[in-house]
Amino acid sequence: MAWGSTVSPLDVTDVFQEQVISDAGSPGGLSTVYKVYKGAPEHVIAIPEAYLVNVIGDGVSDNLVSPPDGSVPSATLIVPRRNNGPIVQIDLAAGQAISVQYTGFSGTREMDTFWTWNRARNLDDFRRGLQCFDSGTQNFAYADIQGNIAYFAASEVPLREDLQAGTVVGLPPWFIRNGSGGNEWLPRPPQADQAIPYQILPMDEMPHLINPPAGWFVNANNDPAGTVLDNNPLNQLRPGGGLYYLNAGYDAGFRAGRITELIQSKPGPRRGNALQRVARSIHPQQHRRHARQRAAAARDDAAGFPGRRRLRGGRRVHTPRASSERLRALITSRISA
């Protein structure tokens, strides 16, 4: 078997605006206000950190000193319900802070994925290893000597409480969300088959394709499920209820379109070097069409018909000036003859 991967920009990170208050009982001296967290504010955890920096220009190797006072915080402030994510900006006077929640803050198991794949014999083994790819968000392509091919988008994609309820409370996930409630990741007790302590999109709802009828598939970081084709990534539904959300945007798809065009232009099996040429082609169909139009316009200008063809909305058009100049040239040539 063989496999390859490329980036899949699944949304596994949320940013929250938190309301913070002073709290003498908190290890970090602060708490975040969360209206449904055990009926009380949640303590912020302070993790002390110290750094040394090298003195530049003194001619001494590894001359390490502490940075100037106030230039580096003495501790990183952690919000436990953010998957132990940090506060990255805080305004104590206003009682506000910005926190980050990311699936990769958990103890993820990507090494188990590759350990399993190094011993895999078939598609079932590959899928078992894929179960451990908890973060990183990748597209994986698979092929084996039995003729199987497959595509999988891999990661643990968290379920947001408002989206799972079928609505968007406040701003959608690709903006800064409300940390005081309504936009939380749905909690889940620790499970043996996943890394993060939150509910996730099941594997059978993740974009995937096994042995497609066409005998091939294409992915170039583009939208694998078509959820953003109508510019609304939040209007699809999950089979069991809730909004089906993967991400707000992907690669525009021009490269995937070019690869698809090249494969369709010559059906049938291809050798590795032919596929390499396809992968190296970086000129989408639209670019080549516009290049031909520009070349045609340049030829007309060189032939004495300036402005005959102009690009408008990707089409050649005849302008009134071009038509009159062409007519004048034709009349002159007839008179001269």
Side-chain angles (χ1 to χ4, degrees):
M1 53 157 278
W3 60 270
S5 69
T6 185
V7 174
S8 173
L10 299 172
D11 191 352
V12 295
T13 305
D14 281 355
V15 179
F16 293 89
Q17 178 175 307
E18 308 282 3
Q19 182 182 351
V20 295
I21 58 174
S22 297
D23 186 349
S26 169
L30 299 169
S31 287
T32 58
V33 177
Y34 178 38
K35 62 183 179 182
V36 296
Y37 179 75
K38 298 181 180 179
E42 182 188 31
H43 290 169
V44 171
I45 308 300
I47 300 179
E49 298 186 42
Y51 299 89
L52 297 176
V53 297
N54 191 26
V55 177
I56 304 298
D58 63 354
V60 179
S61 297
D62 299 328
N63 185 12
L64 303 179
V65 299
S66 297
D69 290 342
S71 61
V72 177
S74 60
T76 296
L77 301 179
I78 298 298
V79 181
R81 75 174 183 281
R82 298 283 170 248
N83 201 24
N84 292 313
I87 287 177
V88 296
Q89 184 175 335
I90 189 167
D91 184 342
L92 291 175
Q96 294 183 342
I98 299 295
S99 67
V100 177
Q101 186 166 0
Y102 169 50
T103 58
F105 293 152
S106 290
T108 59
R109 307 163 297 170
E110 286 76 20
M111 292 303 296
D112 289 342
T113 293
F114 301 118
W115 187 91
T116 301
W117 287 352
N118 283 340
R119 292 159 175 77
R121 297 291 183 181
N122 51 44
L123 181 57
D124 290 338
D125 291 344
F126 182 84
R127 297 185 73 176
R128 186 171 64 255
L130 195 68
Q131 184 78 41
C132 297
F133 200 88
D134 304 309
S135 186
T137 65
Q138 293 283 300
N139 296 300
F140 286 103
Y142 168 93
D144 62 31
I145 59 175
Q146 283 77 38
N148 297 304
I149 62 172
Y151 159 82
F152 301 95
S155 192
E156 292 187 355
V157 178
L159 298 181
R160 284 86 172 172
E161 62 175 322
D162 54 334
L163 304 190
Q164 186 56 27
T167 187
V168 179
V169 176
L171 295 175
W174 54 92
F175 289 100
I176 297 176
R177 311 211 79 191
N178 184 359
S180 297
N183 300 149
E184 300 296 309
W185 293 5
L186 290 171
R188 180 189 186 190
Q191 304 288 320
D193 61 345
Q194 72 177 63
I196 67 173
Y198 304 94
Q199 297 182 38
I200 62 173
L201 201 64
M203 283 193 70
D204 60 358
E205 292 185 42
M206 294 286 287
H208 66 281
L209 189 65
I210 299 175
N211 292 328
W216 54 274
F217 60 84
V218 170
N219 182 274
N221 303 353
N222 52 292
D223 180 356
T227 59
V228 301
L229 293 181
D230 59 356
N231 292 324
N232 186 351
L234 292 171
N235 63 351
Q236 288 85 26
L237 299 178
R238 296 185 58 209
L243 300 182
Y244 182 67
Y245 172 64
L246 297 173
N247 194 38
Y250 299 83
D251 183 88
F254 295 123
R255 179 167 173 77
R258 173 59 173 158
I259 295 172
T260 300
E261 177 190 29
L262 290 172
I263 292 176
Q264 290 176 334
S265 67
K266 189 181 293 185
R270 298 196 181 206
R271 295 184 179 274
N273 56 354
L275 291 176
Q276 289 176 355
R277 287 194 296 271
V278 169
R280 287 197 300 265
S281 179
I282 58 174
H283 302 292
Q285 181 180 7
Q286 295 89 337
H287 292 181
R288 294 185 294 109
R289 182 172 64 247
H290 291 169
R292 289 195 298 268
Q293 292 168 346
R294 288 191 294 270
R299 287 195 299 270
D300 289 340
D301 290 345
F305 302 118
R308 174 184 169 188
R309 291 185 176 93
R310 292 291 182 262
L311 298 181
R312 182 181 300 164
R315 298 182 295 108
R316 299 180 191 177
V317 297
H318 293 272
T319 64
R321 176 174 174 267
S323 299
S324 62
E325 289 178 350
R326 184 183 183 193
L327 179 61
R328 186 183 305 113
L330 288 173
I331 294 174
T332 302
S333 64
R334 294 289 179 87
I335 294 175
S336 300

